[in-house]
Amino acid sequence: MHVGRSYRPIEFALWSRGSILFMVLVSLCAIGAYSIPSIAGFSVPWPIIVVLGTTVSLMAGFKNSQVLARSSEALQAFAQISATSRMLSRFCCDFTDEPTKRALVYRHIAWMTALRFCLRRPMPWESMGRKSNAAFRKRYRVIEDTTSLSDELTALLGHDEAAKILKSGMLAAPLQLLNQQGHQINLLFRDAGLAPQVYTELLKLLRDLHDQQARCDRIKNSPYPRQYAIVSTMFVAIFCTLLPFGAVPVFAEMSRLGGVWGVISIWLTIPFSALLGWMYMSLDQVGESTSNPFEGGANDVPISQICRELEIELRSAMGELDLPKPLQPRNGIAT
């Protein structure tokens, strides 16, 4: 997630430079087709371009509103996880002894760790593999790329429990940790280590964590509907390809003015078509890169930073002083 004032124009231009290059090449083809003697005057009627542009605007607006809703829901899920984590820590610190408190809190931190590793795994429909996104990602670092789930769980739980959790695989690790958490809470209640009211509240908190994990899994495992995504991208590509062929006769008519404008008028097709096409293609690119809020892109939910801040809070609440360092944004990008 970008946490600066805004993207700098040069950053955005470099990220979307592929669309600019495409529009320049298509504009040159349109000028060539309009000027070649055998097909001189070839163009696309401007009313068709206007109709296409209106249709594309509607489709792009619909797509971006939907992907924004997905991103907002993902952020809400982690906001709820943050609130539930603080409540769980408070109950553990107030109503359990020191070893039990530490075991429950550290297992919860391990659950957050396993969840973010699952949410960071690549999916076929995600866009981080695209050249423009991969190049931009060099400006910041996602911590899940520099460490492993096994190492982090071992540091939190110990080798034996971490190995037991990882036996079922990375995808099942978060659920296994929640199950272990519930099992220990049940044992405490049976051994009269928890008052009934506290036991009931802890079960409610565990149920909420299950709900939020399911919510995150649904967003991660269910892409923005491919039929809408491909239709929007196709419409943008068709419109941007035809745009210079409709614009070239408009600028060619300026040759009647004579003078320098008459000489360069047809070449004005290139900058103006590139500008308009870049706007549409960038809008589609922004929507596609925002539709998967957990893949580690510059526009995604900073789950690594959220989990690290929660870990610091929970361990500090237990009186620990040797705390991990917060994850600082790099080049204005929080991950």
Side-chain angles (χ1 to χ4, degrees):
M1 176 181 286
H2 197 289
V3 293
R5 184 178 296 274
S6 67
Y7 284 102
R8 292 183 298 173
I10 186 63
E11 289 179 322
F12 195 84
L14 288 174
W15 178 60
S16 58
R17 62 185 181 274
S19 58
I20 299 175
L21 178 61
F22 173 80
M23 291 306 303
V24 170
L25 293 176
V26 175
S27 298
L28 288 172
C29 292
I31 293 173
Y34 191 82
S35 304
I36 293 176
S38 59
I39 55 173
F42 175 79
S43 64
V44 177
W46 187 251
I48 294 178
I49 302 299
V50 173
V51 173
L52 283 174
T54 303
T55 304
V56 170
S57 298
L58 294 174
M59 289 296 300
F62 173 78
K63 178 179 179 178
N64 279 274
S65 65
Q66 294 298 308
V67 300
L68 180 60
R70 281 170 60 87
S71 182
S72 298
E73 185 181 5
L75 191 58
Q76 289 170 10
F78 265 83
Q80 186 61 41
I81 287 173
S82 299
T84 304
S85 299
R86 295 184 179 104
M87 287 298 298
L88 180 67
S89 171
R90 191 70 267 154
F91 272 93
C92 292
C93 291
D94 289 346
F95 299 105
T96 61
D97 57 31
E98 187 68 27
T100 302
K101 170 183 68 176
R102 190 179 189 281
L104 290 173
V105 171
Y106 267 74
R107 191 178 293 114
H108 179 71
I109 296 172
W111 170 78
M112 292 190 299
T113 301
L115 179 62
R116 63 180 170 84
F117 268 89
C118 286
L119 296 177
R120 290 295 197 204
R121 73 188 191 277
M123 303 297 279
W125 55 80
E126 292 181 339
S127 60
M128 280 312 302
R130 294 187 175 183
K131 188 175 180 180
S132 58
N133 290 336
F136 195 83
R137 189 164 174 170
K138 294 178 181 178
R139 296 175 50 82
Y140 61 95
R141 181 180 64 177
V142 178
I143 193 173
E144 288 78 16
D145 292 341
T146 63
T147 184
S148 69
L149 177 60
S150 176
D151 290 342
E152 296 215 15
L153 290 187
T154 300
L156 291 167
L157 303 175
H159 182 270
D160 293 339
E161 187 174 355
K164 183 180 178 181
I165 293 297
L166 290 170
K167 273 184 180 180
S168 54
M170 183 182 71
L171 294 181
L175 183 59
Q176 291 292 329
L177 287 163
L178 287 180
N179 290 340
Q180 288 284 350
Q181 199 82 308
H183 179 67
Q184 183 173 4
I185 290 172
N186 285 332
L187 288 178
L188 287 171
F189 179 65
R190 292 173 187 173
D191 296 339
L194 286 176
Q197 298 90 340
V198 176
Y199 172 73
T200 301
E201 291 300 321
L202 285 175
L203 288 186
K204 289 181 180 178
L205 293 174
L206 278 182
R207 183 180 63 184
D208 187 64
L209 293 175
H210 275 283
D211 290 342
Q212 300 310 320
Q213 178 179 328
R215 193 178 180 187
C216 292
D217 286 341
R218 175 176 56 80
I219 297 172
K220 177 67 178 181
N221 300 327
S222 303
Y224 176 73
R226 295 294 87 192
Q227 64 272 26
Y228 293 113
I230 189 61
V231 164
S232 177
T233 302
M234 287 174 57
F235 280 15
V236 169
I238 292 171
F239 169 74
C240 291
T241 301
L242 295 180
L243 175 62
F245 291 92
V248 67
V250 176
F251 287 102
E253 288 183 4
M254 294 176 60
S255 61
R256 300 175 183 176
L257 298 175
V260 66
W261 288 110
V263 176
I264 69 171
S265 59
I266 195 171
W267 296 102
L268 294 176
T269 303
I270 296 176
F272 283 95
S273 295
L275 176 62
L276 290 173
W278 171 73
M279 291 168 57
Y280 278 88
M281 296 179 77
S282 296
L283 189 62
D284 183 73
Q285 189 176 351
V286 167
E288 191 64 28
S289 67
T290 311
S291 61
N292 304 298
F294 296 129
E295 62 179 327
N299 302 311
D300 293 346
V301 178
I303 60 177
S304 300
Q305 185 186 65
I306 293 172
C307 290
R308 175 62 62 84
E309 290 175 352
L310 282 172
E311 179 181 355
I312 293 171
E313 285 186 33
L314 301 189
R315 292 174 62 175
S316 177
M318 294 190 297
E320 293 189 10
L321 299 178
D322 186 16
L323 303 173
K325 295 181 180 179
L327 296 178
Q328 299 296 333
R330 184 176 178 184
N331 291 319
I333 306 295
T335 59

